[in-house]
Amino acid sequence: MALLETSKYSQGSVLGSVNPDLASERQTASFSVEKLTALLDGGTEQTRIRRAVVEAIESDPVFSRENQYFQTQNERYEAAVKKAVHLQKKMHEMGWTENGPEYKYIYRALSGDVAFLLHRVFMRSISVLGSDKQIAKWIPLATQHKLIGSYAQTELGHGTYLQGLETTAVFDTATQEFVLNTPKISAMKWWPGDMGRSATHTVVFAQLYIHGKCYGIHPFIVQIRSLQDHSLCPGITAGDIGPKMNFEHIDNGYLLLKNVRIPRENMLSKFCEVRPDGTYVRQGSQKINYFTMTTVRISLISDEVLTPLMKACTIAIRYSAVRRQSKLKPGEQEAKILDYQTQQEKLLPQLAAAYAFHFINDYLQELFNRGYREIQRKNFDMLPELHALSSGFKAVITQHCTAGVEICLRACGGHGYSLLSGLPSLYTKIIASCIYEGENTILLLQTARFLIKCFMAANAGQPVPPSVTYLAAVKHGKCPAKNKLDFLSPDIYTEAYQHVAVRLTSSTAAKLQDLIQSGVKKHDAWNQCTVQLVQAAKAHCHYIAVKNFAETVEKLETKAGIQKIMKHLCDLFALHGIFSNTGAFLHDGYISAAQMDMVTASYLDLLAVIRKDAVPLVDAFDFTDKSLNSALGSYDGQVYQRLYDWAQKSPTNQMSPAYERYLKPLLHNTLSKL
Amino acid sequence: MALLETSKYSQGSVLGSVNPDLASERQTASFSVEKLTALLDGGTEQTRIRRAVVEAIESDPVFSRENQYFQTQNERYEAAVKKAVHLQKKMHEMGWTENGPEYKYIYRALSGDVAFLLHRVFMRSISVLGSDKQIAKWIPLATQHKLIGSYAQTELGHGTYLQGLETTAVFDTATQEFVLNTPKISAMKWWPGDMGRSATHTVVFAQLYIHGKCYGIHPFIVQIRSLQDHSLCPGITAGDIGPKMNFEHIDNGYLLLKNVRIPRENMLSKFCEVRPDGTYVRQGSQKINYFTMTTVRISLISDEVLTPLMKACTIAIRYSAVRRQSKLKPGEQEAKILDYQTQQEKLLPQLAAAYAFHFINDYLQELFNRGYREIQRKNFDMLPELHALSSGFKAVITQHCTAGVEICLRACGGHGYSLLSGLPSLYTKIIASCIYEGENTILLLQTARFLIKCFMAANAGQPVPPSVTYLAAVKHGKCPAKNKLDFLSPDIYTEAYQHVAVRLTSSTAAKLQDLIQSGVKKHDAWNQCTVQLVQAAKAHCHYIAVKNFAETVEKLETKAGIQKIMKHLCDLFALHGIFSNTGAFLHDGYISAAQMDMVTASYLDLLAVIRKDAVPLVDAFDFTDKSLNSALGSYDGQVYQRLYDWAQKSPTNQMSPAYERYLKPLLHNTLSKL
């Protein structure tokens, strides 16, 4: 790796030898890092497989990301396509298959820096929405990459509200074709990945019209580029939507359709079919399709959201153990910035959140697997709950992790602002997760709608799903904590979270009812409550996350020190949430002012405790230097040498391109005077 | 402007004609937009001058920023140098001078996209720190651009803590020279703007050594590049530090010094001089220098922090009036997203904050002008207060505005994530303001130190500066509000903010004292209180900002509807602060739970009121389309057409660069099969 080359200036590189300030952090770990890694992976065998995948990917120069921060959008795109093509070869070489145990580690090992991700969505749509005949035709072609697929749903003027899509597909009985159009500029497809420059085919979502009647949104397979020379097909205008905050490697595209004709067979017809005479036939239950969309929100959490936060924590915490600035004690050496309480208060709650969300992700995965089994048995009872949980947690986790990455970036001062720290690209990428697969506010309102409904049902004595049974048991007690140590009891803080979630749900339900009873129309009343409904949905998810973390800790084996440190992190996660939202807990006096001072004291105490294990706790995430791609976060902590070596490779380190034309004329006739 | 060209697809461009959804927002303005603009500018004459500068700059194609989102770091840098050189010509042409009334509008009109900003800092350092002789020698050369200056203070390993800088300047009596070295990699100068590729000279801050004794940090003028051919001078290694999150147009640089010799006369010697025999002489008071550094923090607020927030609000609010998504009422057209309470709750508090901070900036400018007059009369009494205010407000305003820009970005959904929205570049630039000119946490702790000191003094009956006299008057009353309308009374909410600021300062002072009395060493005790000290400093600034806004509103003329709408914004700013920090106000029961419900009700009511004037309120910021450089924020609201037209100009809209090498081989032998 070129980064490791000895630079002339360093007079014998120190890279590779661990910075003593970082080494000392590892000597005092209170737990076994290797065992914690295995816990996170789900077992030592999983760790072994993951490491083997990482090793295979990272030792292959085609997959290198070292130059990424220096590349243009065009270069990033080309590299991503190259990697996607090479990956096929690599998988074959390594004997990895889509159903094998290695598969889930590949994307993580590539840090998502690869093209044709939408090709997989294209395939999934066909598998889920297509008839057996359609699956038999298209899936083998896609699997062998004999076409490149995309997924064209979002339009310039339409995202969240699918019913509002304006693209039309009119059935022409005479020719047995659908005629597709994007009749207005706002109907133009906009954002689909892999579509700007690569895709040959896409699944277009359009309003189906038969004999002048609209049947709503349906999916159609449309070829957009020639398989011969990649030129655009007749009636197609398509291209790249230009620069974004990140995702330079993806050719997000636009697509205009002008009287594009496709055969009747290209409407995906597992659930709805148009017969040759124009008869529209609905068949089967779409609920499983609905379930699939819901699972996407869960599936993105791990790779797109948790991994970036864990990387950001690794970078910022290692850097904070190495960076020395100002003096804590007069006369002493400058202090590690990790020793400042304010720095701990920035970083350690993010670390605790990374663990909390890792465990809630396990919980959700497990729940969704169960849901899937039920649905296969034609039992759809769990669907509303799964939808509410996936919506709420997608929103809460993406929001929390985005904020966490930003905190990590800012906690590294100026160096965090350099792309070479790795932090800016983590931030600019993770922030998109707050928007895609459902805008967060809208998702939280869907969770809130479920909560209100269940709250009403529970109070009417009707049964409600397990995750919301607590809404029935409104208690008006007070928090029983007597001293600050009581707030290290999971029962105490879990109960407090539950109390707040119930209070926010019930008070908003009451407001909603009051408004409606006072004559406000239902939809207006709902709109007037949405700010508070969002709060209730967040409180619900926060409660479940805390409860789940506490339950997870309880189940951990007590040896190797892991349970103890996880308990500290669980406490920190819970108390940080209270400390950052004191009003929610103080409002009705459930926690008193005196108790809140105890929370604060316990919370600040915990920072100093966890600080001791901070570096081992990020080491346990087990990121390689190449996967972090950060001058600040490397395992050896040789921050300054890495920054300097790397910066020298920047394309901006050539003679000033402005010299001959601008600087020379400005300066030149002044030599004699200086 | 190419952006305005009619595209083929649009079949008669709609650009220029105002989107009816936006036009309707302007018809119902409750106040005169033009008068509000004049108020913000400080008078109609100022508005006229500003507009003339903007017109002159924007009509000159050299200053165009239209391609900015498509350019590489090298291209951005070259364009910025070109603009800097051209600006000299332009100023001459227009008759603008550095002391003229136009000057302050130039940088804003350029959106800061210009090189040689550090050249000005170079000049200011010499003016402030140099002897008369040094000023006479260097300032004319710099003014005429016969050299290009920079300012080399920060090192790879040292930022905030100046005493920790490692660069050395050893006086050699034999040759009457200083010998400069960066003895370790962490001593390397890192970050100075204009230094990576442009500067010929720089002011280097180094530890002065004479006869083996260290005299601390001093400034030295060092030539780093040849005036002949721009090659690096002997002993100099310098270059560009590579890509950052933004600031691609600036060549932030690194600098290594190896036995670089400069004449004795190059140490800036207004305050300290080294005589030929090595005698070190201190002269005069450095307090004015200290004052100068303090004013820099205030001077950046307007252009670097408020303008970006105002631009972000303009973009997001205009877009929200045009974007329609989902239905508020069944059966109706899709609703403007600005009509959703959650969208209002995201954007309108940012708008209110922009106004609040504009007015506090006026207040601080006025205070600093007064301070400057006092200091010229050798009265330094105001210095500690000015330092505390500038530190605190720099931190609070940069933090708040950075968060505000991010909220605006996220409130625009996917389109906010496109660089063409203008929002990502506003965000990635403003976030740096949280770090430069003093890292925010450290600044807040400086404000807190002042607060604690003044609190102690006030309680001991000693006089304290005007901004903190309120700390002496600890009242233990309760908020007297009886209904939600009472919370629209500035007395009520200002008092509440004051109460919280006093409580947080006094409780932290008490904790500090308790710790020390219990035997904890002073510096440890301080560190253990820093999280709470930061809260106290923020509360102090928030209180002053609310009070100042309320006082400003009171002084406004009552006609033209301006006072009324400003009063609404002031109320919103104040109530949003309470609503977002309920715990601080509930903690000791100053505001009761019932009263907090009134705050919430009033706050949510205000959103609906201000929403009606939201577009006129951003129109009053008077940004041209070119200065916003945003497809979402243009005055005409033709969002989709602009996005489409602009995206087509992206360099990514050419044939896929990956086609021949990667896509074609993948696809090619499959033609017959599809």
Side-chain angles (χ1 to χ4, degrees):
Chain A
M1 180 173 167
L3 183 60
L4 284 165
E5 280 168 18
T6 307
S7 80
K8 270 186 196 166
Y9 182 73
S10 69
Q11 298 162 316
S13 175
V14 292
L15 297 184
S17 70
V18 177
N19 183 317
D21 278 340
L22 196 52
S24 68
E25 299 284 336
R26 292 177 174 132
Q27 279 156 10
T28 52
S30 77
F31 63 93
S32 157
V33 170
E34 188 64 19
K35 287 203 172 152
L36 182 51
T37 298
L39 174 71
L40 290 169
D41 280 325
T44 50
E45 176 59 9
Q46 291 297 312
T47 301
R48 193 193 59 74
I49 297 170
R50 178 177 56 74
R51 286 181 179 160
V53 171
V54 169
E55 166 61 23
I57 297 278
E58 292 189 353
S59 63
D60 188 329
V62 174
F63 297 120
S64 168
R65 291 160 58 233
E66 197 198 342
N67 290 322
Q68 165 177 322
Y69 304 132
F70 303 143
Q71 287 175 327
T72 65
Q73 195 178 352
N74 266 336
E75 289 163 347
R76 289 288 305 280
Y77 161 73
E78 188 171 353
V81 170
K82 182 179 178 183
K83 288 179 193 185
V85 172
H86 188 69
L87 182 59
Q88 300 307 313
K89 212 175 106 190
K90 192 84 188 174
M91 286 182 64
H92 184 74
E93 252 175 54
M94 301 296 297
W96 299 337
T97 64
E98 301 219 353
N99 304 316
E102 297 88 0
Y103 194 71
K104 66 173 174 172
Y105 298 118
I106 297 173
Y107 181 80
R108 174 176 153 145
L110 292 166
S111 294
D113 197 31
V114 62
F116 304 162
L117 298 177
L118 269 288
H119 184 68
R120 290 178 52 73
V121 179
F122 173 83
M123 289 172 68
R124 194 175 51 211
S125 324
I126 294 171
S127 305
V128 174
L129 305 172
S131 65
D132 292 344
K133 202 173 153 191
Q134 288 169 326
I135 293 172
K137 175 178 177 187
W138 294 98
I139 295 298
L141 294 171
T143 306
Q144 297 159 57
H145 283 91
K146 294 187 172 175
L147 57 80
I148 299 164
S150 178
Y151 181 87
Q153 179 179 301
T154 303
E155 297 176 356
L156 246 181
H158 306 277
T160 299
Y161 185 67
L162 288 190
Q163 290 152 270
L165 293 178
E166 294 177 297
T167 301
T168 56
V170 178
F171 186 57
D172 180 347
T173 37
T175 62
Q176 293 290 301
E177 290 171 318
F178 294 104
V179 188
L180 278 84
N181 274 289
T182 46
K184 295 168 62 182
I185 186 148
S186 52
M188 187 185 308
K189 296 295 176 186
W190 194 269
W191 280 111
D194 294 329
M195 195 178 76
R197 315 178 81 174
S198 295
T200 59
H201 289 67
T202 188
V203 173
V204 171
F205 285 79
Q207 303 282 2
L208 169 65
Y209 283 86
I210 309 171
H211 301 318
K213 186 181 163 192
C214 181
Y215 288 84
I217 293 298
H218 290 73
F220 302 84
I221 297 179
V222 180
Q223 181 171 352
I224 60 172
R225 286 187 179 89
S226 156
L227 290 165
Q228 186 106 44
D229 62 5
H230 219 234
S231 62
L232 294 169
C233 294
I236 301 286
T237 305
D240 186 280
I241 65 165
K244 299 139 293 183
M245 212 168 167
N246 194 309
F247 290 90
E248 293 96 343
H249 63 295
I250 300 293
D251 54 324
N252 296 91
Y254 61 81
L255 173 68
L256 292 162
L257 302 162
K258 195 166 183 182
N259 296 323
V260 173
R261 290 181 165 264
I262 57 168
R264 190 177 62 93
E265 292 73 26
N266 278 22
M267 184 175 107
L268 291 175
S269 56
K270 179 165 190 170
F271 302 113
C272 316
E273 197 187 351
V274 177
R275 299 256 166 88
D277 64 348
T279 312
Y280 179 82
V281 185
R282 212 177 263 284
Q283 55 210 5
S285 165
Q286 291 207 37
K287 282 186 178 170
I288 187 136
N289 173 30
Y290 179 70
F291 175 74
T292 306
M293 292 194 295
T294 295
T295 56
V296 171
R297 294 196 179 120
I298 298 302
S299 67
L300 70 88
I301 291 175
S302 171
D303 286 340
E304 305 299 342
V305 188
L306 286 183
T307 299
L309 178 61
M310 288 173 173
K311 285 184 178 178
C313 286
T314 305
I315 295 167
I317 287 174
R318 284 183 184 161
Y319 176 65
S320 298
V322 161
R323 175 74 170 187
R324 288 176 175 273
Q325 202 72 357
S326 295
K327 299 188 180 185
L328 259 173
K329 307 187 188 183
E332 285 199 354
Q333 194 185 3
E334 290 188 63
K336 291 178 174 183
I337 59 175
L338 192 54
D339 285 325
Y340 292 95
Q341 189 189 48
T342 47
Q343 187 76 354
Q344 292 165 11
E345 212 268 324
K346 289 174 190 174
L347 299 180
L348 303 184
Q350 312 320 319
L351 181 62
Y355 278 93
F357 294 142
H358 173 85
F359 293 125
I360 199 76
N361 185 47
D362 284 352
Y363 161 82
L364 292 168
Q365 294 287 1
E366 161 60 28
L367 199 68
F368 271 74
N369 290 342
R370 186 142 42 92
Y372 186 64
R373 289 192 299 271
E374 289 300 317
I375 283 165
Q376 283 181 314
R377 292 167 46 205
K378 306 278 179 216
N379 173 9
F380 298 106
D381 293 352
M382 281 178 78
L383 261 182
E385 184 183 30
L386 292 175
H387 176 61
L389 283 170
S390 67
S391 301
F393 273 109
K394 185 273 183 183
V396 164
I397 296 178
T398 56
Q399 202 136 323
H400 206 117
C401 292
T402 299
V405 171
E406 195 200 335
I407 289 169
C408 290
L409 187 156
R410 282 165 62 166
C412 293
H415 293 321
Y417 193 75
S418 164
L419 291 202
L420 306 181
S421 74
L423 292 164
S425 62
L426 288 173
Y427 177 76
T428 53
K429 194 170 181 196
I430 196 176
I431 192 178
S433 70
C434 297
I435 299 160
Y436 61 59
E437 297 300 337
E439 195 276 330
N440 281 352
T441 303
I442 292 163
L443 292 181
L444 288 166
L445 288 173
Q446 303 208 358
T447 305
R449 200 177 281 280
F450 170 79
L451 289 178
I452 296 290
K453 217 169 142 184
C454 292
F455 176 78
M456 303 294 207
N459 282 334
Q462 292 158 14
V464 293
S467 64
V468 285
T469 46
Y470 75 96
L471 290 174
V474 188
K475 284 174 251 169
H476 293 284
K478 305 275 173 193
C479 173
K482 300 216 166 12
N483 57 56
K484 70 175 181 177
L485 294 180
D486 285 346
F487 279 104
L488 303 181
S489 154
D491 287 346
I492 296 278
Y493 54 67
T494 305
E495 192 83 12
Y497 274 93
Q498 187 190 89
H499 180 86
V500 168
V502 173
R503 182 177 64 75
L504 290 173
T505 303
S506 66
S507 68
T508 313
K511 178 179 170 184
L512 198 58
Q513 232 161 358
D514 286 354
L515 282 169
I516 292 167
Q517 276 169 6
S518 74
V520 179
K521 288 198 182 129
K522 217 171 159 184
H523 52 262
D524 281 334
W526 179 263
N527 191 25
Q528 287 173 38
C529 291
T530 46
V531 167
Q532 288 149 304
L533 286 163
V534 165
Q535 291 182 329
K538 284 184 185 172
H540 169 69
C541 293
H542 213 152
Y543 158 60
I544 294 179
V546 167
K547 186 162 77 96
N548 179 68
F549 200 164
E551 287 168 1
T552 305
V553 169
E554 205 155 293
K555 282 180 249 159
L556 291 175
E557 49 170 343
T558 51
K559 39 189 178 167
I562 286 176
Q563 194 188 40
K564 196 174 162 202
I565 188 70
M566 288 299 110
K567 168 70 167 58
H568 288 320
L569 285 175
C570 178
D571 294 347
L572 187 72
F573 178 69
L575 298 189
H576 174 256
I578 302 178
F579 179 77
S580 316
N581 302 284
T582 53
F585 297 84
L586 289 166
H587 189 99
D588 61 351
Y590 182 83
I591 288 186
S592 70
Q595 287 173 323
M596 194 54 83
D597 292 341
M598 297 170 199
V599 168
T600 303
S602 264
Y603 169 62
L604 295 176
D605 287 350
L606 270 173
L607 294 176
V609 172
I610 294 170
R611 180 258 170 270
K612 292 182 202 148
D613 276 318
V615 169
L617 280 168
V618 296
D619 285 350
F621 295 144
D622 203 27
F623 291 114
T624 62
D625 285 359
K626 285 186 180 174
S627 75
L628 291 172
N629 212 17
S630 160
L632 306 190
S634 64
Y635 189 82
D636 68 8
Q638 298 294 359
V639 169
Y640 303 133
Q641 189 67 49
R642 281 175 190 273
L643 271 173
Y644 177 55
D645 290 352
W646 206 348
Q648 285 177 281
K649 299 183 209 296
S650 168
T652 54
N653 268 307
Q654 296 136 9
M655 178 75 177
S656 167
Y659 181 65
E660 286 296 332
R661 286 181 73 177
Y662 306 111
L663 299 181
K664 196 172 166 184
L666 194 70
L667 296 166
H668 224 137
N669 59 355
T670 70
L671 289 176
S672 57
K673 294 176 190 163
L674 284 175
Chain B
M1 181 175 168
L3 185 58
L4 285 166
E5 282 167 17
T6 306
S7 79
K8 270 186 198 167
Y9 181 75
S10 68
Q11 299 163 313
S13 175
V14 293
L15 297 184
S17 71
V18 176
N19 183 317
D21 278 340
L22 196 52
S24 68
E25 299 284 336
R26 292 177 174 131
Q27 279 156 11
T28 53
S30 78
F31 62 93
S32 157
V33 171
E34 187 64 20
K35 285 202 172 152
L36 182 52
T37 298
L39 174 71
L40 290 169
D41 280 326
T44 51
E45 175 60 8
Q46 291 297 313
T47 301
R48 194 193 58 73
I49 296 170
R50 178 177 57 73
R51 286 180 178 161
V53 170
V54 169
E55 166 60 23
I57 298 277
E58 292 189 353
S59 63
D60 188 328
V62 174
F63 296 121
S64 167
R65 290 161 57 234
E66 196 200 342
N67 290 322
Q68 168 177 320
Y69 305 130
F70 303 142
Q71 289 175 325
T72 65
Q73 193 177 355
N74 266 336
E75 289 163 348
R76 289 288 306 279
Y77 161 74
E78 188 170 353
V81 170
K82 182 179 179 184
K83 288 179 191 184
V85 172
H86 187 68
L87 182 60
Q88 299 308 312
K89 212 175 106 191
K90 192 85 187 174
M91 286 182 64
H92 184 74
E93 249 174 56
M94 301 297 296
W96 299 337
T97 65
E98 301 218 354
N99 304 316
E102 295 87 1
Y103 194 71
K104 67 172 172 172
Y105 298 119
I106 297 173
Y107 180 80
R108 175 176 151 142
L110 292 166
S111 294
D113 198 30
V114 62
F116 303 164
L117 298 177
L118 268 289
H119 185 69
R120 290 180 51 74
V121 179
F122 174 83
M123 288 173 70
R124 192 174 56 210
S125 325
I126 293 171
S127 305
V128 173
L129 304 172
S131 65
D132 292 345
K133 203 171 152 191
Q134 288 169 326
I135 293 172
K137 174 180 177 185
W138 294 99
I139 295 299
L141 294 171
T143 306
Q144 297 158 56
H145 283 92
K146 294 188 172 174
L147 57 80
I148 299 163
S150 177
Y151 181 86
Q153 180 179 301
T154 302
E155 297 176 354
L156 246 181
H158 306 278
T160 300
Y161 184 67
L162 287 191
Q163 289 152 272
L165 293 178
E166 293 178 297
T167 301
T168 56
V170 178
F171 186 58
D172 180 347
T173 38
T175 61
Q176 293 289 300
E177 289 171 319
F178 294 104
V179 186
L180 278 82
N181 275 289
T182 45
K184 295 166 62 180
I185 189 149
S186 52
M188 187 187 307
K189 296 295 176 186
W190 194 269
W191 281 111
D194 295 328
M195 196 175 78
R197 316 178 80 173
S198 295
T200 60
H201 290 67
T202 188
V203 173
V204 171
F205 285 78
Q207 303 282 1
L208 169 64
Y209 282 86
I210 310 171
H211 302 317
K213 187 182 161 191
C214 182
Y215 288 84
I217 292 298
H218 290 73
F220 303 85
I221 298 179
V222 179
Q223 181 170 352
I224 59 172
R225 286 189 180 86
S226 156
L227 290 165
Q228 189 105 42
D229 62 5
H230 220 235
S231 62
L232 292 170
C233 293
I236 302 286
T237 305
D240 187 278
I241 64 165
K244 300 141 291 184
M245 213 169 166
N246 192 312
F247 289 90
E248 294 96 342
H249 62 295
I250 300 294
D251 54 324
N252 297 89
Y254 61 81
L255 174 68
L256 292 163
L257 302 160
K258 195 163 182 186
N259 295 323
V260 174
R261 290 182 166 265
I262 57 169
R264 191 177 62 91
E265 293 72 25
N266 279 22
M267 183 175 106
L268 290 174
S269 56
K270 180 165 189 170
F271 302 113
C272 316
E273 197 187 350
V274 178
R275 299 256 166 88
D277 65 349
T279 313
Y280 179 83
V281 186
R282 213 176 261 285
Q283 55 211 1
S285 164
Q286 293 207 38
K287 282 186 178 170
I288 187 135
N289 173 30
Y290 179 69
F291 175 74
T292 308
M293 291 193 297
T294 295
T295 57
V296 172
R297 295 197 179 120
I298 298 302
S299 67
L300 69 88
I301 291 174
S302 172
D303 287 339
E304 305 299 344
V305 188
L306 286 183
T307 299
L309 178 61
M310 289 172 171
K311 284 184 178 177
C313 286
T314 305
I315 295 167
I317 286 175
R318 285 184 183 161
Y319 176 65
S320 298
V322 161
R323 176 74 170 186
R324 288 176 175 275
Q325 201 74 355
S326 295
K327 300 189 180 185
L328 259 173
K329 306 184 191 187
E332 286 200 354
Q333 193 185 4
E334 288 189 64
K336 292 178 174 183
I337 58 174
L338 192 54
D339 286 324
Y340 291 95
Q341 188 188 49
T342 47
Q343 186 76 353
Q344 294 165 10
E345 211 267 324
K346 288 174 191 175
L347 298 181
L348 303 184
Q350 312 320 318
L351 181 63
Y355 278 92
F357 294 142
H358 173 85
F359 294 125
I360 199 76
N361 185 46
D362 283 352
Y363 161 83
L364 292 169
Q365 294 286 0
E366 161 60 28
L367 198 70
F368 271 75
N369 291 340
R370 185 143 43 91
Y372 186 64
R373 290 194 298 273
E374 289 299 318
I375 282 165
Q376 282 181 316
R377 292 165 48 203
K378 307 276 179 219
N379 173 7
F380 298 105
D381 292 353
M382 282 177 75
L383 261 183
E385 186 184 28
L386 292 176
H387 176 62
L389 284 170
S390 67
S391 301
F393 273 109
K394 184 273 181 182
V396 164
I397 296 177
T398 55
Q399 203 135 325
H400 207 116
C401 293
T402 299
V405 171
E406 195 200 334
I407 289 169
C408 290
L409 186 156
R410 282 164 61 166
C412 294
H415 293 323
Y417 193 76
S418 164
L419 291 203
L420 306 180
S421 74
L423 292 164
S425 63
L426 289 173
Y427 176 76
T428 53
K429 193 170 182 196
I430 196 175
I431 192 179
S433 71
C434 297
I435 298 160
Y436 61 60
E437 297 299 339
E439 194 277 330
N440 280 354
T441 304
I442 291 163
L443 292 181
L444 288 166
L445 287 173
Q446 303 207 358
T447 305
R449 200 177 281 280
F450 170 80
L451 288 178
I452 295 291
K453 216 168 143 185
C454 292
F455 177 79
M456 302 295 208
N459 283 334
Q462 293 158 15
V464 294
S467 64
V468 285
T469 47
Y470 77 94
L471 290 174
V474 188
K475 284 175 252 171
H476 293 285
K478 304 275 172 194
C479 173
K482 298 218 169 9
N483 57 56
K484 70 175 182 178
L485 294 180
D486 286 346
F487 279 104
L488 303 180
S489 155
D491 286 347
I492 296 276
Y493 55 66
T494 306
E495 192 83 11
Y497 272 94
Q498 188 190 87
H499 180 85
V500 168
V502 173
R503 183 177 64 76
L504 289 173
T505 304
S506 66
S507 68
T508 314
K511 176 180 171 183
L512 198 57
Q513 234 162 356
D514 286 354
L515 283 169
I516 292 168
Q517 276 169 6
S518 75
V520 179
K521 287 197 181 134
K522 217 173 160 180
H523 51 262
D524 281 333
W526 179 262
N527 190 27
Q528 287 172 38
C529 291
T530 46
V531 167
Q532 288 149 305
L533 287 163
V534 164
Q535 290 181 328
K538 285 183 184 170
H540 169 69
C541 293
H542 213 153
Y543 159 59
I544 294 180
V546 167
K547 186 162 78 97
N548 178 69
F549 201 165
E551 287 168 1
T552 304
V553 169
E554 205 155 295
K555 282 181 247 158
L556 291 175
E557 49 169 344
T558 51
K559 37 187 180 172
I562 287 176
Q563 194 189 38
K564 197 172 161 205
I565 187 70
M566 288 298 111
K567 167 70 167 58
H568 288 321
L569 285 175
C570 178
D571 294 346
L572 187 72
F573 177 70
L575 297 190
H576 175 256
I578 301 178
F579 179 77
S580 316
N581 301 284
T582 53
F585 297 83
L586 288 166
H587 191 277
D588 61 352
Y590 181 82
I591 288 186
S592 70
Q595 287 173 324
M596 194 54 82
D597 292 341
M598 298 171 198
V599 168
T600 303
S602 265
Y603 169 62
L604 295 176
D605 287 351
L606 271 171
L607 294 176
V609 172
I610 294 170
R611 181 260 169 270
K612 292 183 200 145
D613 277 319
V615 169
L617 280 167
V618 297
D619 284 351
F621 294 144
D622 202 27
F623 292 114
T624 61
D625 284 359
K626 285 187 180 175
S627 76
L628 291 173
N629 212 19
S630 160
L632 306 190
S634 64
Y635 189 82
D636 68 8
Q638 298 294 359
V639 169
Y640 303 133
Q641 189 66 51
R642 282 177 190 273
L643 270 174
Y644 177 56
D645 289 352
W646 206 348
Q648 285 178 281
K649 299 184 208 295
S650 167
T652 53
N653 267 308
Q654 297 137 7
M655 179 73 177
S656 166
Y659 181 65
E660 286 295 332
R661 285 182 72 178
Y662 305 112
L663 300 182
K664 195 172 167 185
L666 195 69
L667 296 166
H668 224 135
N669 58 357
T670 71
L671 289 175
S672 57
K673 295 175 191 164
L674 284 175

